[in-house]
Amino acid sequence: MKSKKLTINIVIALVAGIIIGSIGDIYADTSLVKGVDQYFFNTVGQIFLNLIFMLVVPVVFVSIVLGVVGVGDPKLLGGIGLKTLVFFLCTTAIAITIAIVLALIVKPGAGHSDLMKSTEVASYQKTLDKQSEGAEAPANQTFDQTLINLFPKNPIESMTQGNMLQVITFSIFIGIGMMVLGDKALIVRQFFEQFNEILMYIISMIMRVFAPIGTFCLVAHAFTGAGLGAIKQLGLYFIVVLAALILHFFLIYGGTIKFIAKDSPIKFFKGFIPAITIGFGGSSSNAALPVSMECTKKMGVRPAIASFVQPLGATINMDGTAIMQGVATVFIAQISGAQLTILQILTVIVIAVIASIGTAGVPGVGLIMLAMVLTAVDLNPAAIGIIIGIDRLLDMTRTAVNITGDAACAFMISKQEDRKAVSS
């Protein structure tokens, strides 16, 4: 009952944040609204996010270690890892394909060539010029650099910097070591299990005390800064991205739960609402991770599978981001007067899928990936400046899609393993 009440309160806070933020956006120039937005919405929202981010690295580290140990069999671990990777890569490819097809049909950029002459493009070009003068951007890393960066030189440094792929790699090695040693590492395993209990208690406490007000403030701040005005300016682009996200959410994830996991999609989505609202409010897969793992475990997902699949997904599964890239690429091509060839479209799909691996699950990272995609198909990345105003709102929506994909994968694999256990 407490869990159901919390879910209802978070949903109410989400809706109220959208309404209040949209009203605030109309009067955004007034000193009263500016003060409330800066000193209340932004401050309280950031405190809530920081409380969750505080737990991300320890939760990922402890969960992956216990997940690997809990699997108990290196062969089974390899099988789960392969299924997870295949699912994430396939759904990302499907996501961007849906986005590109929908954008080519609707043509959100047709007749808006004047946008390329806007001040937003010139402003973002200056930002790109400044970035090019500094260190190499993560989006420009080659495949071999990405592969090398999977393995940490200093795992403690990786944790302090929040390099989640390196934290996951280190966690897997620790987990395998504990699994092979068995009873020799019993005390260490008990420590991790007790530490995990402490982390889960802190997460529950933060959710009970701060989640509704934190969600309200995050959403209200986002809509006050980029509300109805941004949607009006790029209405058709916004609608196409949102439509592609909704299609992918219900058809692909709902279909996965219905036909592969053989369970009720409605039951799954309902049980995952608390995590969806946190992902929507915080625009970060990593921030939502502790809550999303708790939700899936309550839905019956094996703790070992949830602990392995979802932290990995928060780092490499970016279906919502891929959808934005697909629509944005076609949109920018249309306002630039360029005609994308079949080869260029395939290039966009391949690069977006590869780029999703190793991309941090933090707000705004999709724009970095988009710059790389646009450069690969000879489009001006400065055109990203046109969609920045509306991207904050879409970032919230696509993050909710990203984390739902992680949960759907964990749910599917857990149900398959349950059926195997029954049949054997």
Side-chain angles (χ1 to χ4, degrees):
M1 290 300 295
K2 287 183 179 179
S3 177
K4 187 178 291 186
K5 184 178 179 181
L6 177 62
T7 301
I8 293 171
N9 289 340
I10 292 174
V11 172
I12 291 172
L14 175 68
V15 174
I18 292 173
I19 294 171
I20 298 298
S22 298
I23 294 172
D25 183 59
I26 298 172
Y27 303 99
D29 294 332
T30 63
S31 57
L32 176 62
V33 171
K34 286 180 180 178
V36 171
D37 183 44
Q38 181 179 351
Y39 296 108
F40 181 62
F41 293 160
N42 184 55
T43 301
V44 176
Q46 287 304 312
I47 289 173
F48 175 58
L49 268 188
N50 286 354
L51 285 171
I52 297 179
F53 271 123
M54 171 182 74
L55 298 170
V56 169
V57 171
V59 164
V60 169
F61 179 55
V62 173
S63 296
I64 290 284
V65 170
L66 289 178
V68 172
V69 175
V71 171
D73 181 359
K75 290 183 180 179
L76 181 58
L77 177 66
I80 291 173
L82 182 61
K83 283 182 183 179
T84 302
L85 189 60
V86 169
F87 179 87
F88 289 156
L89 293 179
C90 287
T91 55
T92 301
I94 292 169
I96 194 168
T97 302
I98 289 173
I100 290 173
V101 170
L102 204 58
L104 289 172
I105 293 172
V106 178
K107 296 182 173 58
H112 295 287
S113 58
D114 56 308
L115 289 174
M116 286 300 294
K117 300 175 183 177
S118 64
T119 56
E120 288 84 359
V121 175
S123 175
Y124 201 73
Q125 183 64 60
K126 291 179 181 177
T127 301
L128 292 175
D129 292 341
K130 287 181 181 178
Q131 288 177 349
S132 65
E133 293 172 4
E136 182 183 28
N140 294 328
Q141 289 186 352
T142 59
F143 176 75
D144 61 313
Q145 289 174 318
T146 302
L147 195 61
I148 292 169
N149 287 339
L150 287 174
F151 302 93
K153 295 179 189 176
N154 184 340
I156 305 302
E157 184 181 4
S158 301
M159 290 181 184
T160 58
Q161 293 179 348
N163 190 324
M164 300 313 298
L165 266 184
Q166 293 185 354
V167 172
I168 289 171
T169 302
F170 180 63
S171 305
I172 291 172
F173 277 105
I174 296 291
I176 291 173
M178 288 171 59
M179 179 178 20
V180 173
L181 290 174
D183 290 342
K184 290 181 180 179
L186 183 60
I187 294 176
V188 179
R189 177 171 180 172
Q190 288 173 344
F191 167 76
F192 272 92
E193 288 172 346
Q194 291 168 0
F195 190 24
N196 186 59
E197 290 295 325
I198 293 171
L199 292 172
M200 291 305 106
Y201 170 77
I202 295 172
I203 291 167
S204 298
M205 181 182 66
I206 291 172
M207 289 297 292
R208 286 197 308 269
V209 177
F210 294 104
I213 184 66
T215 301
F216 168 78
C217 288
L218 284 170
V219 175
H221 173 64
F223 274 77
T224 300
L228 299 176
I231 295 175
K232 287 178 183 177
Q233 185 180 10
L234 296 169
L236 198 53
Y237 167 78
F238 183 89
I239 290 170
V240 173
V241 175
L242 201 59
L245 289 168
I246 292 170
L247 281 173
H248 191 74
F249 187 89
F250 288 106
L251 291 182
I252 305 304
Y253 298 152
T256 297
I257 302 301
K258 176 70 175 177
F259 300 109
I260 302 179
K262 301 186 188 305
D263 211 311
S264 168
I266 296 174
K267 178 183 173 184
F268 169 79
F269 292 134
K270 187 177 178 181
F272 201 62
I273 283 177
I276 291 173
T277 55
I278 298 300
F280 183 86
S283 299
S284 169
S285 299
N286 286 337
L289 181 58
V291 182
S292 64
M293 288 173 59
E294 190 177 14
C295 287
T296 52
K297 289 173 183 176
K298 285 181 179 178
M299 287 189 283
V301 174
R302 292 186 181 188
I305 292 175
S307 298
F308 179 80
V309 172
Q310 287 177 265
L312 187 62
T315 306
I316 70 171
N317 183 37
M318 300 286 170
D319 291 2
T321 305
I323 285 172
M324 180 275 290
Q325 291 169 358
V327 177
T329 301
V330 174
F331 173 76
I332 289 171
Q334 289 170 349
I335 64 175
S336 302
Q339 187 74 32
L340 292 175
T341 64
I342 296 295
L343 182 59
Q344 285 178 315
I345 291 173
L346 291 175
T347 300
V348 171
I349 294 172
V350 172
I351 290 178
V353 171
I354 294 174
S356 68
I357 301 175
T359 302
V362 295
V365 73
L367 295 177
I368 298 173
M369 295 170 63
L370 177 58
M372 181 175 64
V373 171
L374 292 175
T375 302
V377 291
D378 298 323
L379 292 173
N380 186 3
I384 292 174
I386 299 167
I387 62 174
I388 281 181
I390 206 171
D391 189 70
R392 181 67 179 89
L393 302 181
L394 291 175
D395 195 13
M396 300 163 76
T397 311
R398 63 179 180 256
T399 300
V401 171
N402 288 341
I403 64 170
T404 304
D406 304 339
C409 181
F411 192 90
M412 172 197 73
I413 293 174
S414 182
K415 289 295 182 181
Q416 288 180 331
E417 294 302 319
D418 289 344
R419 287 197 294 270
K420 283 182 184 178
V422 172
S423 63
S424 60

Short mmCIF file of all heavy atoms in Angstrom, two decimals, residues 360-421:
data_model
loop_
_atom_site.label_atom_id
_atom_site.label_comp_id
_atom_site.label_asym_id
_atom_site.label_seq_id
_atom_site.Cartn_x
_atom_site.Cartn_y
_atom_site.Cartn_z
N ALA A 360 27.85 8.07 -21.68
CA ALA A 360 27.42 8.25 -20.29
C ALA A 360 25.92 8.50 -20.21
O ALA A 360 25.36 9.20 -21.05
CB ALA A 360 28.17 9.42 -19.66
N GLY A 361 25.27 7.94 -19.18
CA GLY A 361 23.83 8.13 -19.00
C GLY A 361 23.53 9.39 -18.22
O GLY A 361 22.96 9.34 -17.13
N VAL A 362 23.91 10.55 -18.76
CA VAL A 362 23.73 11.83 -18.08
C VAL A 362 22.99 12.79 -19.01
O VAL A 362 22.95 12.59 -20.23
CB VAL A 362 25.09 12.43 -17.66
CG1 VAL A 362 25.76 11.55 -16.63
CG2 VAL A 362 26.01 12.64 -18.86
N PRO A 363 22.38 13.86 -18.44
CA PRO A 363 21.61 14.80 -19.27
C PRO A 363 22.43 15.42 -20.39
O PRO A 363 23.58 15.80 -20.19
CB PRO A 363 21.18 15.87 -18.25
CG PRO A 363 21.20 15.17 -16.93
CD PRO A 363 22.31 14.18 -17.01
N GLY A 364 21.82 15.51 -21.58
CA GLY A 364 22.42 16.24 -22.69
C GLY A 364 23.43 15.49 -23.53
O GLY A 364 23.91 16.00 -24.54
N VAL A 365 23.74 14.24 -23.15
CA VAL A 365 24.79 13.53 -23.89
C VAL A 365 24.35 13.20 -25.31
O VAL A 365 25.18 13.02 -26.20
CB VAL A 365 25.19 12.23 -23.13
CG1 VAL A 365 24.10 11.17 -23.25
CG2 VAL A 365 26.52 11.70 -23.65
N GLY A 366 23.03 13.14 -25.55
CA GLY A 366 22.54 12.83 -26.88
C GLY A 366 22.98 13.84 -27.93
O GLY A 366 23.18 13.50 -29.09
N LEU A 367 23.16 15.10 -27.52
CA LEU A 367 23.59 16.14 -28.46
C LEU A 367 25.03 15.92 -28.91
O LEU A 367 25.38 16.21 -30.05
CB LEU A 367 23.45 17.52 -27.82
CG LEU A 367 22.02 17.96 -27.50
CD1 LEU A 367 22.02 19.31 -26.81
CD2 LEU A 367 21.16 17.99 -28.77
N ILE A 368 25.87 15.38 -28.00
CA ILE A 368 27.25 15.07 -28.38
C ILE A 368 27.26 13.96 -29.42
O ILE A 368 27.98 14.03 -30.43
CB ILE A 368 28.06 14.64 -27.14
CG1 ILE A 368 28.12 15.78 -26.12
CG2 ILE A 368 29.47 14.21 -27.53
CD1 ILE A 368 28.75 15.40 -24.80
N MET A 369 26.45 12.94 -29.19
CA MET A 369 26.35 11.84 -30.15
C MET A 369 25.80 12.32 -31.48
O MET A 369 26.24 11.89 -32.55
CB MET A 369 25.47 10.72 -29.57
CG MET A 369 26.05 10.05 -28.34
SD MET A 369 24.87 8.95 -27.52
CE MET A 369 24.58 7.74 -28.80
N LEU A 370 24.81 13.23 -31.43
CA LEU A 370 24.19 13.74 -32.65
C LEU A 370 25.21 14.50 -33.50
O LEU A 370 25.20 14.39 -34.73
CB LEU A 370 23.01 14.65 -32.30
CG LEU A 370 22.30 15.32 -33.48
CD1 LEU A 370 21.76 14.28 -34.46
CD2 LEU A 370 21.16 16.22 -32.98
N ALA A 371 26.09 15.25 -32.87
CA ALA A 371 27.13 16.00 -33.60
C ALA A 371 28.00 15.05 -34.41
O ALA A 371 28.36 15.34 -35.56
CB ALA A 371 27.98 16.81 -32.63
N MET A 372 28.33 13.90 -33.83
CA MET A 372 29.14 12.92 -34.53
C MET A 372 28.39 12.32 -35.72
O MET A 372 28.94 12.14 -36.80
CB MET A 372 29.56 11.80 -33.56
CG MET A 372 30.44 10.74 -34.18
SD MET A 372 31.02 9.54 -32.97
CE MET A 372 29.49 8.80 -32.46
N VAL A 373 27.10 12.04 -35.52
CA VAL A 373 26.28 11.47 -36.59
C VAL A 373 26.15 12.45 -37.76
O VAL A 373 26.31 12.08 -38.93
CB VAL A 373 24.88 11.09 -36.06
CG1 VAL A 373 23.95 10.70 -37.21
CG2 VAL A 373 24.98 9.94 -35.06
N LEU A 374 25.90 13.72 -37.45
CA LEU A 374 25.73 14.73 -38.50
C LEU A 374 27.02 14.91 -39.30
O LEU A 374 26.99 15.03 -40.53
CB LEU A 374 25.32 16.07 -37.88
CG LEU A 374 23.93 16.13 -37.26
CD1 LEU A 374 23.70 17.47 -36.58
CD2 LEU A 374 22.84 15.88 -38.30
N THR A 375 28.15 14.92 -38.60
CA THR A 375 29.44 15.07 -39.28
C THR A 375 29.69 13.91 -40.24
O THR A 375 30.22 14.09 -41.35
CB THR A 375 30.58 15.13 -38.25
OG1 THR A 375 30.33 16.23 -37.36
CG2 THR A 375 31.92 15.35 -38.92
N ALA A 376 29.27 12.71 -39.85
CA ALA A 376 29.50 11.51 -40.66
C ALA A 376 28.72 11.54 -41.97
O ALA A 376 29.13 10.91 -42.95
CB ALA A 376 29.13 10.27 -39.87
N VAL A 377 27.59 12.28 -42.01
CA VAL A 377 26.79 12.34 -43.25
C VAL A 377 26.86 13.73 -43.88
O VAL A 377 25.96 14.14 -44.62
CB VAL A 377 25.33 11.92 -42.98
CG1 VAL A 377 25.25 10.45 -42.65
CG2 VAL A 377 24.70 12.76 -41.87
N ASP A 378 27.93 14.47 -43.58
CA ASP A 378 28.21 15.77 -44.20
C ASP A 378 27.12 16.82 -43.97
O ASP A 378 26.80 17.62 -44.86
CB ASP A 378 28.42 15.59 -45.72
CG ASP A 378 29.63 14.72 -46.01
OD1 ASP A 378 30.63 14.82 -45.28
OD2 ASP A 378 29.56 13.92 -46.97
N LEU A 379 26.56 16.83 -42.77
CA LEU A 379 25.62 17.88 -42.38
C LEU A 379 26.28 18.75 -41.31
O LEU A 379 27.12 18.29 -40.54
CB LEU A 379 24.32 17.26 -41.83
CG LEU A 379 23.45 16.52 -42.84
CD1 LEU A 379 22.29 15.82 -42.15
CD2 LEU A 379 22.93 17.46 -43.93
N ASN A 380 25.89 20.01 -41.28
CA ASN A 380 26.51 20.97 -40.37
C ASN A 380 26.06 20.72 -38.93
O ASN A 380 24.89 20.92 -38.60
CB ASN A 380 26.14 22.40 -40.79
CG ASN A 380 26.87 23.44 -39.96
OD1 ASN A 380 27.69 23.12 -39.11
ND2 ASN A 380 26.56 24.70 -40.22
N PRO A 381 26.97 20.31 -38.03
CA PRO A 381 26.57 20.05 -36.65
C PRO A 381 26.12 21.30 -35.90
O PRO A 381 25.46 21.20 -34.86
CB PRO A 381 27.85 19.47 -36.01
CG PRO A 381 28.96 19.90 -36.89
CD PRO A 381 28.40 20.01 -38.27
N ALA A 382 26.45 22.48 -36.43
CA ALA A 382 26.00 23.72 -35.79
C ALA A 382 24.48 23.85 -35.82
O ALA A 382 23.90 24.59 -35.01
CB ALA A 382 26.63 24.92 -36.49
N ALA A 383 23.82 23.11 -36.73
CA ALA A 383 22.36 23.14 -36.81
C ALA A 383 21.71 22.58 -35.55
O ALA A 383 20.50 22.76 -35.32
CB ALA A 383 21.89 22.36 -38.03
N ILE A 384 22.50 21.91 -34.72
CA ILE A 384 21.98 21.41 -33.44
C ILE A 384 21.44 22.56 -32.60
O ILE A 384 20.52 22.39 -31.80
CB ILE A 384 23.10 20.65 -32.67
CG1 ILE A 384 23.45 19.36 -33.41
CG2 ILE A 384 22.68 20.33 -31.24
CD1 ILE A 384 24.63 18.61 -32.82
N GLY A 385 22.02 23.77 -32.79
CA GLY A 385 21.57 24.93 -32.04
C GLY A 385 20.08 25.20 -32.20
O GLY A 385 19.45 25.77 -31.29
N ILE A 386 19.50 24.78 -33.32
CA ILE A 386 18.06 25.01 -33.57
C ILE A 386 17.20 24.20 -32.61
O ILE A 386 16.16 24.67 -32.15
CB ILE A 386 17.71 24.63 -35.03
CG1 ILE A 386 18.52 25.50 -36.00
CG2 ILE A 386 16.22 24.78 -35.29
CD1 ILE A 386 18.48 25.00 -37.43
N ILE A 387 17.63 22.98 -32.30
CA ILE A 387 16.79 22.09 -31.49
C ILE A 387 17.16 22.09 -30.00
O ILE A 387 16.51 21.40 -29.22
CB ILE A 387 16.85 20.64 -32.03
CG1 ILE A 387 18.27 20.08 -31.93
CG2 ILE A 387 16.33 20.58 -33.45
CD1 ILE A 387 18.37 18.61 -32.31
N ILE A 388 18.19 22.85 -29.62
CA ILE A 388 18.61 22.84 -28.22
C ILE A 388 17.48 23.31 -27.29
O ILE A 388 17.28 22.76 -26.20
CB ILE A 388 19.86 23.73 -28.02
CG1 ILE A 388 21.10 22.96 -28.47
CG2 ILE A 388 20.03 24.14 -26.57
CD1 ILE A 388 22.38 23.72 -28.31
N GLY A 389 16.74 24.33 -27.72
CA GLY A 389 15.69 24.87 -26.87
C GLY A 389 14.65 23.86 -26.47
O GLY A 389 14.11 23.91 -25.36
N ILE A 390 14.38 22.91 -27.35
CA ILE A 390 13.35 21.92 -27.08
C ILE A 390 13.93 20.59 -26.59
O ILE A 390 13.21 19.72 -26.11
CB ILE A 390 12.51 21.68 -28.37
CG1 ILE A 390 11.12 21.20 -28.02
CG2 ILE A 390 13.20 20.75 -29.33
CD1 ILE A 390 10.19 21.17 -29.21
N ASP A 391 15.25 20.47 -26.69
CA ASP A 391 15.87 19.17 -26.39
C ASP A 391 15.74 18.80 -24.91
O ASP A 391 15.69 17.62 -24.58
CB ASP A 391 17.35 19.18 -26.79
CG ASP A 391 17.98 17.80 -26.69
OD1 ASP A 391 17.62 16.94 -27.52
OD2 ASP A 391 18.79 17.58 -25.78
N ARG A 392 15.72 19.80 -24.02
CA ARG A 392 15.61 19.50 -22.59
C ARG A 392 14.33 18.72 -22.28
O ARG A 392 14.33 17.78 -21.49
CB ARG A 392 15.64 20.80 -21.78
CG ARG A 392 15.55 20.60 -20.26
CD ARG A 392 16.79 19.91 -19.74
NE ARG A 392 16.73 19.74 -18.28
CZ ARG A 392 16.20 18.69 -17.67
NH1 ARG A 392 15.67 17.72 -18.39
NH2 ARG A 392 16.20 18.59 -16.36
N LEU A 393 13.23 19.09 -22.96
CA LEU A 393 11.97 18.39 -22.74
C LEU A 393 12.01 16.98 -23.35
O LEU A 393 11.55 16.02 -22.74
CB LEU A 393 10.81 19.18 -23.34
CG LEU A 393 10.62 20.61 -22.81
CD1 LEU A 393 9.43 21.26 -23.47
CD2 LEU A 393 10.46 20.61 -21.30
N LEU A 394 12.57 16.88 -24.54
CA LEU A 394 12.66 15.57 -25.20
C LEU A 394 13.65 14.66 -24.48
O LEU A 394 13.48 13.44 -24.46
CB LEU A 394 13.07 15.76 -26.66
CG LEU A 394 12.01 16.40 -27.56
CD1 LEU A 394 12.57 16.65 -28.95
CD2 LEU A 394 10.76 15.53 -27.65
N ASP A 395 14.68 15.26 -23.88
CA ASP A 395 15.66 14.48 -23.13
C ASP A 395 14.99 13.75 -21.97
O ASP A 395 15.30 12.60 -21.65
CB ASP A 395 16.76 15.41 -22.60
CG ASP A 395 17.99 14.64 -22.14
OD1 ASP A 395 18.09 13.43 -22.45
OD2 ASP A 395 18.85 15.23 -21.47
N MET A 396 14.03 14.41 -21.33
CA MET A 396 13.29 13.80 -20.24
C MET A 396 12.51 12.58 -20.73
O MET A 396 12.52 11.52 -20.10
CB MET A 396 12.32 14.83 -19.64
CG MET A 396 13.01 16.07 -19.08
SD MET A 396 11.87 17.45 -18.83
CE MET A 396 11.02 16.92 -17.36
N THR A 397 11.87 12.74 -21.89
CA THR A 397 11.04 11.66 -22.43
C THR A 397 11.88 10.48 -22.89
O THR A 397 11.55 9.32 -22.64
CB THR A 397 10.19 12.18 -23.60
OG1 THR A 397 9.54 13.39 -23.21
CG2 THR A 397 9.14 11.17 -24.01
N ARG A 398 12.98 10.77 -23.59
CA ARG A 398 13.78 9.66 -24.11
C ARG A 398 14.54 8.92 -23.00
O ARG A 398 14.82 7.73 -23.14
CB ARG A 398 14.74 10.14 -25.20
CG ARG A 398 15.80 11.14 -24.81
CD ARG A 398 16.65 11.46 -26.04
NE ARG A 398 17.71 12.42 -25.75
CZ ARG A 398 17.69 13.69 -26.08
NH1 ARG A 398 16.64 14.19 -26.72
NH2 ARG A 398 18.70 14.50 -25.80
N THR A 399 14.84 9.61 -21.89
CA THR A 399 15.45 8.92 -20.77
C THR A 399 14.48 7.91 -20.18
O THR A 399 14.87 6.79 -19.82
CB THR A 399 15.88 9.92 -19.67
OG1 THR A 399 16.82 10.84 -20.23
CG2 THR A 399 16.52 9.21 -18.49
N ALA A 400 13.21 8.28 -20.09
CA ALA A 400 12.19 7.35 -19.60
C ALA A 400 12.12 6.12 -20.50
O ALA A 400 11.93 4.99 -20.02
CB ALA A 400 10.83 8.05 -19.54
N VAL A 401 12.27 6.33 -21.81
CA VAL A 401 12.28 5.21 -22.75
C VAL A 401 13.53 4.35 -22.56
O VAL A 401 13.46 3.11 -22.54
CB VAL A 401 12.20 5.72 -24.21
CG1 VAL A 401 12.42 4.58 -25.21
CG2 VAL A 401 10.84 6.37 -24.46
N ASN A 402 14.69 4.99 -22.39
CA ASN A 402 15.95 4.25 -22.22
C ASN A 402 15.89 3.29 -21.03
O ASN A 402 16.23 2.11 -21.15
CB ASN A 402 17.11 5.23 -22.00
CG ASN A 402 17.50 5.98 -23.26
OD1 ASN A 402 17.18 5.57 -24.37
ND2 ASN A 402 18.21 7.07 -23.10
N ILE A 403 15.46 3.79 -19.89
CA ILE A 403 15.46 2.94 -18.69
C ILE A 403 14.39 1.86 -18.75
O ILE A 403 14.57 0.78 -18.18
CB ILE A 403 15.31 3.79 -17.41
CG1 ILE A 403 13.95 4.49 -17.36
CG2 ILE A 403 16.44 4.79 -17.27
CD1 ILE A 403 13.66 5.15 -16.01
N THR A 404 13.30 2.12 -19.48
CA THR A 404 12.27 1.09 -19.64
C THR A 404 12.81 -0.05 -20.50
O THR A 404 12.49 -1.22 -20.25
CB THR A 404 11.01 1.68 -20.29
OG1 THR A 404 10.55 2.79 -19.51
CG2 THR A 404 9.89 0.65 -20.37
N GLY A 405 13.66 0.27 -21.47
CA GLY A 405 14.29 -0.77 -22.28
C GLY A 405 15.21 -1.66 -21.44
O GLY A 405 15.24 -2.88 -21.61
N ASP A 406 15.96 -1.03 -20.52
CA ASP A 406 16.83 -1.80 -19.63
C ASP A 406 15.99 -2.77 -18.79
O ASP A 406 16.34 -3.95 -18.63
CB ASP A 406 17.60 -0.86 -18.68
CG ASP A 406 18.40 0.19 -19.42
OD1 ASP A 406 18.70 -0.02 -20.61
OD2 ASP A 406 18.73 1.21 -18.81
N ALA A 407 14.89 -2.25 -18.24
CA ALA A 407 14.03 -3.08 -17.39
C ALA A 407 13.35 -4.20 -18.18
O ALA A 407 13.23 -5.32 -17.69
CB ALA A 407 12.98 -2.20 -16.72
N ALA A 408 12.91 -3.89 -19.40
CA ALA A 408 12.26 -4.90 -20.24
C ALA A 408 13.22 -6.04 -20.55
O ALA A 408 12.83 -7.22 -20.56
CB ALA A 408 11.75 -4.26 -21.53
N CYS A 409 14.48 -5.71 -20.80
CA CYS A 409 15.49 -6.74 -21.08
C CYS A 409 15.70 -7.62 -19.85
O CYS A 409 15.71 -8.85 -19.96
CB CYS A 409 16.81 -6.07 -21.48
SG CYS A 409 18.13 -7.24 -21.86
N ALA A 410 15.85 -7.00 -18.68
CA ALA A 410 16.05 -7.77 -17.44
C ALA A 410 14.84 -8.65 -17.16
O ALA A 410 14.97 -9.83 -16.77
CB ALA A 410 16.30 -6.82 -16.27
N PHE A 411 13.65 -8.10 -17.36
CA PHE A 411 12.40 -8.84 -17.13
C PHE A 411 12.30 -10.04 -18.06
O PHE A 411 11.97 -11.15 -17.64
CB PHE A 411 11.21 -7.90 -17.34
CG PHE A 411 9.89 -8.44 -16.87
CD1 PHE A 411 9.46 -8.20 -15.58
CD2 PHE A 411 9.08 -9.17 -17.72
CE1 PHE A 411 8.24 -8.70 -15.14
CE2 PHE A 411 7.86 -9.67 -17.30
CZ PHE A 411 7.43 -9.43 -15.99
N MET A 412 12.60 -9.82 -19.34
CA MET A 412 12.54 -10.89 -20.35
C MET A 412 13.50 -12.02 -20.02
O MET A 412 13.13 -13.21 -20.02
CB MET A 412 12.86 -10.30 -21.72
CG MET A 412 13.01 -11.34 -22.82
SD MET A 412 13.86 -10.68 -24.28
CE MET A 412 15.55 -10.57 -23.68
N ILE A 413 14.77 -11.68 -19.73
CA ILE A 413 15.77 -12.70 -19.46
C ILE A 413 15.43 -13.47 -18.18
O ILE A 413 15.57 -14.70 -18.12
CB ILE A 413 17.18 -12.06 -19.35
CG1 ILE A 413 17.60 -11.52 -20.71
CG2 ILE A 413 18.20 -13.07 -18.84
CD1 ILE A 413 18.90 -10.74 -20.69
N SER A 414 14.94 -12.76 -17.18
CA SER A 414 14.56 -13.41 -15.92
C SER A 414 13.44 -14.41 -16.14
O SER A 414 13.47 -15.53 -15.61
CB SER A 414 14.15 -12.35 -14.89
OG SER A 414 13.83 -12.95 -13.66
N LYS A 415 12.44 -14.02 -16.91
CA LYS A 415 11.32 -14.93 -17.19
C LYS A 415 11.79 -16.16 -17.99
O LYS A 415 11.32 -17.28 -17.75
CB LYS A 415 10.23 -14.19 -17.98
CG LYS A 415 9.46 -13.17 -17.16
CD LYS A 415 8.66 -13.82 -16.05
CE LYS A 415 7.86 -12.80 -15.26
NZ LYS A 415 7.09 -13.43 -14.16
N GLN A 416 12.69 -15.96 -18.93
CA GLN A 416 13.23 -17.09 -19.70
C GLN A 416 13.99 -18.05 -18.80
O GLN A 416 13.84 -19.27 -18.92
CB GLN A 416 14.15 -16.57 -20.80
CG GLN A 416 13.42 -15.88 -21.95
CD GLN A 416 14.37 -15.36 -23.02
OE1 GLN A 416 15.53 -15.02 -22.74
NE2 GLN A 416 13.89 -15.29 -24.25
N GLU A 417 14.79 -17.51 -17.87
CA GLU A 417 15.54 -18.36 -16.95
C GLU A 417 14.59 -19.09 -15.99
O GLU A 417 14.85 -20.24 -15.63
CB GLU A 417 16.54 -17.52 -16.14
CG GLU A 417 17.66 -16.92 -17.00
CD GLU A 417 18.45 -17.98 -17.75
OE1 GLU A 417 18.75 -19.04 -17.16
OE2 GLU A 417 18.76 -17.74 -18.94
N ASP A 418 13.50 -18.45 -15.61
CA ASP A 418 12.50 -19.09 -14.75
C ASP A 418 11.87 -20.29 -15.45
O ASP A 418 11.67 -21.36 -14.85
CB ASP A 418 11.40 -18.10 -14.33
CG ASP A 418 11.92 -17.06 -13.32
OD1 ASP A 418 12.99 -17.29 -12.74
OD2 ASP A 418 11.23 -16.04 -13.15
N ARG A 419 11.54 -20.09 -16.74
CA ARG A 419 10.94 -21.19 -17.50
C ARG A 419 11.92 -22.35 -17.68
O ARG A 419 11.53 -23.52 -17.65
CB ARG A 419 10.44 -20.68 -18.86
CG ARG A 419 9.20 -19.81 -18.77
CD ARG A 419 8.51 -19.65 -20.10
NE ARG A 419 9.32 -18.92 -21.06
CZ ARG A 419 9.28 -17.59 -21.20
NH1 ARG A 419 8.48 -16.86 -20.44
NH2 ARG A 419 10.04 -17.00 -22.09
N LYS A 420 13.19 -22.03 -17.88
CA LYS A 420 14.21 -23.07 -18.00
C LYS A 420 14.32 -23.88 -16.72
O LYS A 420 14.44 -25.11 -16.73
CB LYS A 420 15.58 -22.45 -18.32
CG LYS A 420 15.76 -22.03 -19.76
CD LYS A 420 17.17 -21.49 -19.95
CE LYS A 420 17.38 -20.97 -21.37
NZ LYS A 420 18.75 -20.40 -21.54
N ALA A 421 14.27 -23.17 -15.59
CA ALA A 421 14.40 -23.83 -14.29
C ALA A 421 13.21 -24.78 -14.05
O ALA A 421 13.38 -25.88 -13.52
CB ALA A 421 14.47 -22.79 -13.17
#
